[in-house]
Structure formats: structure tokens, C-alpha cells
């Protein structure tokens, strides 16, 4: 905590979490399986809730916001781990999906449209976009200005 706005703090936390779990599949597995117990998370959760309460959140609202950001982070980490060593041969999800659909894609017209709209971007691009959607949603629910979170001028 360096006194930054709540959304910047949550964005930094999400990046840290996604990076840590993505680079250490064993740690991710421990978290998913519950080997990292709640008793090990109490201190962190207290700090997170306290920080967000100081920013005007109610405790339950703070926990909901943290859970939403963690869901995005864990999802990004799972995707990174999958791409690093999955059955797709380390291929990016977009590329593996495109290969699975095939050249003509006759049976998958919506996926073919999707491929025409995007090159799939990078894992970081997708993660940042998903995270921004969550942070903007939190701001909207709280009745706060959201455009600065989305990188737009208010």
C-alpha cells in the first residue's frame, strides 16, 4: 500500500498473484487443492479488507471485490500454466483453437468469425482487459467514476 487508489492497488495485487501462480504451477495447485489453508491467508485478508475499508468499502464489499480480482488472477494463471505445458504443445490457446477448428471451419462459423476479428492477443492483454472489466464493474456498483479505471478521461 503506497496510498494509491483502491483500483490501482487491486490491479497490482492481481498482477502479482497471476504472475506468482503462473510461474509456479505447484503453488497454484496447492492453492486450488486447499493445501494453502485459510489460516495462512487470514493476515493477508485482514490487510486487504482494512485497506479497502479505508477507501470506503464495507467489509463484505471489500471481500467481494478481492474475490472477483482473485478469480481473474487465478484464471490467468491457469491459462498460463496450460499454455506452458499442456496437451496443446505449449501453443497459445488461440492458435491451438484455430488449429483444432481447421482451415475451412465449416462446422464452426462463429469461431471463424472470431478468428477474423482478432489474433488472440497475448495472455497479458487478455488478463489486463478482464481485470479492467472487473474493476470497472466494482466502481459502477459503488457509484464511482469508472472511466479513469478504464483508461479513459472522465
Amino acid at each position: 500500500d503506497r496510498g494509491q487508489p483502491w483500483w490501482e492497488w487491486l490491479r497490482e495485487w492481481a498482477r502479482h498473484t497471476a504472475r506468482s501462480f503462473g510461474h509456479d504451477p505447484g503453488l497454484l495447485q496447492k492453492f486450488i487443492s486447499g493445501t494453502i489453508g485459510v489460516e495462512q491467508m487470514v493476515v493477508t485478508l485482514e490487510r486487504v479488507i482494512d485497506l479497502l475499508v479505508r477507501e470506503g468499502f464495507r467489509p463484505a464489499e471489500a471481500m467481494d471485490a478481492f474475490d472477483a480480482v482473485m478469480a481473474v488472477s487465478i484464471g490467468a494463471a491457469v491459462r498460463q500454466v496450460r499454455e506452458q505445458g499442456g496437451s496443446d504443445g505449449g501453443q497459445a490457446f488461440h492458435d491451438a483453437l484455430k488449429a483444432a477448428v481447421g482451415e475451412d471451419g465449416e462446422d464452426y462459423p462463429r469461431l471463424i468469425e472470431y478468428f477474423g476479428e482478432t489474433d488472440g492477443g497475448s495472455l497479458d492483454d487478455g488478463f489486463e482487459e478482464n481485470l479492467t472489466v472487473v474493476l470497472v464493474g466494482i466502481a459502477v456498483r459503488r457509484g464511482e467514476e469508472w472511466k479513469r479505471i478504464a483508461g479513459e478521461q472522465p
Side-chain angles (χ1 to χ4, degrees):
D1 175 22
R2 299 180 320 278
Q4 68 271 49
W6 64 264
W7 65 88
E8 287 180 14
W9 188 90
L10 282 174
R11 185 178 297 280
E12 290 171 14
W13 180 265
R15 287 174 179 155
H16 165 75
T17 301
R19 198 170 31 253
S20 296
F21 284 149
H23 291 303
D24 187 348
L27 180 62
L28 177 61
Q29 183 56 42
K30 286 179 183 178
F31 182 80
I32 291 170
S33 70
T35 305
I36 299 174
V38 173
E39 58 281 345
Q40 293 171 279
M41 296 186 282
V42 169
V43 172
T44 299
L45 291 172
E46 176 64 22
R47 287 181 186 156
V48 169
I49 291 172
D50 181 61
L51 182 139
L52 293 174
V53 165
R54 286 185 272 133
E55 290 281 327
F57 285 70
R58 294 182 335 274
E61 194 180 32
M63 185 63 93
D64 288 345
F66 185 69
D67 283 346
V69 166
M70 285 295 290
V72 172
S73 300
I74 292 166
V78 167
R79 186 168 175 185
Q80 181 179 346
V81 168
R82 177 183 170 89
E83 287 189 8
Q84 287 171 349
S87 63
D88 302 327
Q91 208 174 15
F93 175 77
H94 177 86
D95 296 337
L97 183 61
K98 196 171 188 177
V101 167
E103 287 300 316
D104 66 11
E106 174 178 305
D107 295 331
Y108 308 102
R110 295 297 178 225
L111 286 170
I112 293 299
E113 287 180 52
Y114 163 74
F115 297 136
E117 293 176 3
T118 181
D119 65 359
S122 71
L123 280 174
D124 288 341
D125 293 343
F127 169 69
E128 290 294 333
E129 178 64 19
N130 293 338
L131 183 56
T132 297
V133 167
V134 168
L135 294 173
V136 165
I138 292 167
V140 167
R141 281 204 147 178
R142 293 177 43 74
E144 295 184 16
E145 174 55 55
W146 58 268
K147 289 185 178 185
R148 60 186 171 195
I149 299 168
E152 301 175 18
Q153 292 297 322

